[in-house]
């Protein structure tokens, strides 16, 4: 997967750079590039390649992970195939084309807002593995229930959830300001939101470590 993802990324950069020389302007939208191609046969071949690239990339990068997560959530009821179909349905319900309708909405509302959640999660994982457990992983305990070291409280690590909330909160006012323009916030929260991933990452590490027992 990393090799093909790197190859697709390289082709995207190369084609976008070539549009500057060929058409005199930078065109990053593949559909817009195809619309500039003259001739029926080249256009059809380009559209087929575009569809195959989109489907193969999305299946490999965006369907496998959530499908596996759904399987882990209810392994007796959900198979990988069912998880993939559920992911596809949820993808349609979320209407991603609305996110792509404006660059500002896609980058500042969706991507940065999404990173405000990913940053604390990454910080908690790194803090737990490197700082709390000193890079020690009990593989057997991962598959144990109540007697396992990772069972916590009924299977949930409450301290991790609390640390994640603490890491997300500083970015929340800035997100509301971007998502709801009439929601005014001080400048400091806008600045924090612009660095949401790094803010959440650092705060969640500190919060998670402070929440741990001294022993």
């Amino acid at each position: 997967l990393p090799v093909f993802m790197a190859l697709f990324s390289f082709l995207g950069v190369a084609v976008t750079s070539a549009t500057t020389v060929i058409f005199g302007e930078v065109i990053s939208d593949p559909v817009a590039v195809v619309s500039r191609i003259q001739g029926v046969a080249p256009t059809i071949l380009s559209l087929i390649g575009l569809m195959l690239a989109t489907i193969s990339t999305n299946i490999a990068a965006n369907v496998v992970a959530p499908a596996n997560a759904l399987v882990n959530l209810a392994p007796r009821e959900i198979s990988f195939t069912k998880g993939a179909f559920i992911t596809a349905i949820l993808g349609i319900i979320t209407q991603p084309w609305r996110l792509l309708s404006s660059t500002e909405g896609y980058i500042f509302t969706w991507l940065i807002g999404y990173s405000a959640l990913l940053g604390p999660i990454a910080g908690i994982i790194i803090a737990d593995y490197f700082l709390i457990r000193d890079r020690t992983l009990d593989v057997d305990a991962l598959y144990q229930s109540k007697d396992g070291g990772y069972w916590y409280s009924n299977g949930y690590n409450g301290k991790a959830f609390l640390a994640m909330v603490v890491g997300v909160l500083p970015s929340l006012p800035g997100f509301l300001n971007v998502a709801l323009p009439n929601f005014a916030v001080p400048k400091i929260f806008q600045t924090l939101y612009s660095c949401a991933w790094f803010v959440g990452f650092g705060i969640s590490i500190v919060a998670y470590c402070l929440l741990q027992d001294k022993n």
Side-chain angles (χ1 to χ4, degrees):
L1 180 61
V3 175
F4 288 103
M5 292 294 290
L7 180 60
F8 279 126
S9 300
F10 169 75
L11 290 176
V13 173
V15 172
T16 302
S17 302
T19 58
T20 306
V21 179
I22 299 173
F23 302 114
E25 59 178 323
V26 177
I27 304 175
S28 58
D29 186 356
V31 178
V33 175
V34 172
S35 66
R36 297 289 189 94
I37 299 176
Q38 299 179 355
V40 178
T43 301
I44 293 176
L45 290 175
S46 299
L47 289 174
I48 293 174
L50 180 61
M51 288 187 293
L52 291 176
T54 301
I55 293 173
S56 62
T57 302
N58 286 338
I59 289 176
N62 300 329
V63 175
V64 173
N68 284 327
L70 291 171
V71 171
N72 293 330
L73 185 64
R76 294 183 179 180
E77 290 78 17
I78 302 177
S79 64
F80 180 81
T81 303
K82 289 183 180 179
F85 277 109
I86 294 174
T87 301
I89 294 172
L90 292 176
I92 296 174
I93 293 176
T94 56
Q95 303 180 25
W97 52 87
R98 297 185 63 180
L99 295 173
L100 297 173
S101 61
S102 71
T103 304
E104 181 177 355
Y106 177 67
I107 296 177
F108 295 101
T109 304
W110 167 246
L111 286 183
I112 298 183
Y114 185 52
S115 71
L117 293 174
L118 294 183
I121 293 174
I124 292 168
I125 293 173
I126 290 176
D128 187 78
Y129 181 69
F130 286 96
L131 302 179
I132 304 301
R133 301 184 185 276
D134 194 23
R135 295 182 296 177
T136 301
L137 181 65
D138 188 350
V139 178
D140 293 334
L142 291 174
Y143 301 93
Q144 297 174 356
S145 56
K146 296 182 180 180
D147 297 328
Y150 302 104
W151 180 248
Y152 299 106
S153 178
N154 295 323
Y156 295 93
N157 187 347
K159 296 178 181 179
F161 281 106
L162 181 57
M164 185 182 72
V165 171
V166 173
V168 171
L169 282 178
S171 301
L172 184 58
F175 172 76
L176 294 175
N177 174 253
V178 174
L180 306 172
N182 294 328
F183 188 87
V185 297
K187 184 69 174 179
I188 182 63
F189 290 109
Q190 298 177 10
T191 303
L192 290 174
Y193 179 69
S194 65
C195 306
W197 191 95
F198 300 97
V199 172
F201 179 81
I203 292 178
S204 64
I205 289 178
V206 175
Y208 188 71
C209 290
L210 292 176
L211 288 171
Q212 301 305 309
D213 297 330
K214 293 182 179 180
N215 57 356

